[in-house]
Amino acid sequence: MRTKLLVAFLGIAALLVLIALLGLRVLGQSNSRAERLGALQVRVAGYQELEANAAALRQLLALCTGTPDYAKWLNGGRPARGSAPTCLRSIKQPVDAVLALLGASTDLGFRPSRDEAVPFRRIKKDYGHLKAIVGKISGSGAQAFPLHARAENLSVDLEVAARRLAETTTGKTNALIAENRRAYSSSRNLFIGVGAGTVFLALLLGFVLSWSLLGPIQRIGGRLAAIASGDFSGRVDVPNRDELGNLGENVNRMNDELRRVYRELESASRHKSEFLANMSHELRTPLNAIIGFSQVLREGMFGEVNEKQQEYLEDILSSGNHLLSLINDVLDLSKVEAGQVELEIQAFSLREALERGVVMVRERATETGVQLALELDPAAEVVEGDERRIRQVVFNLLSNAVKFTPPGGHVDLKTARLDGEVRVLVSDTGPGIAAEDQERIFEEFQQTEAGAHQREGTGLGLALSKRLVELHGGRIWVESEPGKGSTFAFTLPSGTART
């Protein structure tokens, strides 16, 4: 267990470290692109300033192209010696100012990229030539016009070169902006993918971890349920090398031990049942002889008996019959437990079986002043089952009800068909049964406090009745409250099975 938790913790930690490394990588790339974008924007601004200054210089130099002397020079003439062009002198001061700005533009405070270095050196070279030429124009004479033409051409070249650099750098800037957009989309998709993958891996890891725990627990639970139902044939396979593995091994050891104990108990129970069955037969034979001879003596078949002898014979017969009843119950119960009872299932009249049961206990009920009542449901007239065994159950319930009902009370026997089964109910007005005793009284040799004070009773009647009803596929129970009497009921389902 601890190993699995450690593996799960390390897996989650590895996922968090992976996300952190991806975040650092993405942030580093974003910062690098931001620095490059800033440098490009500075170069674009510098190149645009350089282009603007060169254009201003070209415009100033172009002011002289419309003078008569310039036109004469263009037509191959020669201007008058010693007369300086008026326009050149008038624009000298603004031209010098633009040249100063242009000079500042050629030292913009940044380093051009490798592919911009050659054009930028050409611009600086042209600026040097242009500055020298404009310095010479300050003189007078016809030689100023050729210099003016060269200066104007250089200013045009300077402007074109600066514009190209500005456009190239602007293109790089736009490309980098587009790259930033694509990188943002890629990073977003990457993080979404990593996040989704992390969630999936976490769920998968949690599923694997939970299954590694739930699987063995379910197998152990299934094996325990099988053990509880009496199946000791299987074993639980738990490959875990942790607490669950130890638990599985303990369950297997418990299964083996319970199987051994269960076999010993089965053998002991079988031997007990066989012993009881054999002993019951052995005891019943001489006991029947004692009862028979006592009856013969009581009836005076071998001579008259006095009053005291008659009293002793009555005690012998009463004790013998009680002992015979006990032996019969023990024999029947041992046969049921040993699986030696075979029911003779056939259709019979439930009404006749119940009437015979009432007849069997009526004499005692009359002696104790207990009223008997029989209420039969016509729909429950005929049922299927072993009639002799059903009469035995009815007699046990009726005799108990009469025995525990005080004089003046009553015992009611009813039948009803409900939910496809027949119910037989025996109600009395006896002392009732406490809730904690209502399950116990159906066990062998168990009696309530009231039953323990009775001289009669073996504590086997209800246990045997329960076994016989269950052999028919039915069930038996009691509903009772202390001081309010009791109602014993059992069911006979339709289509009872043959045992």
Side-chain angles (χ1 to χ4, degrees), residues 197-217:
T198 302
V199 172
F200 175 75
L201 289 177
L203 292 175
L204 180 61
L205 184 62
F207 175 77
V208 172
L209 181 60
S210 62
W211 179 248
S212 68
L213 299 178
L214 293 178
I217 290 175

Side-chain angles (χ1 to χ4, degrees), residues 423-443:
R423 292 188 180 185
V424 179
L425 301 93
V426 178
S427 302
D428 62 61
T429 57
I433 303 172
E436 60 270 17
D437 294 330
Q438 293 180 11
E439 292 290 335
R440 185 174 59 85
I441 59 175
F442 289 102
E443 299 176 4

Side-chain angles (χ1 to χ4, degrees), residues 312-330:
Y312 287 160
L313 288 174
E314 292 292 342
D315 290 340
I316 293 173
L317 282 173
S318 176
S319 300
N321 287 325
H322 178 67
L323 184 57
L324 182 61
S325 176
L326 174 61
I327 293 174
N328 288 333
D329 287 345
V330 171

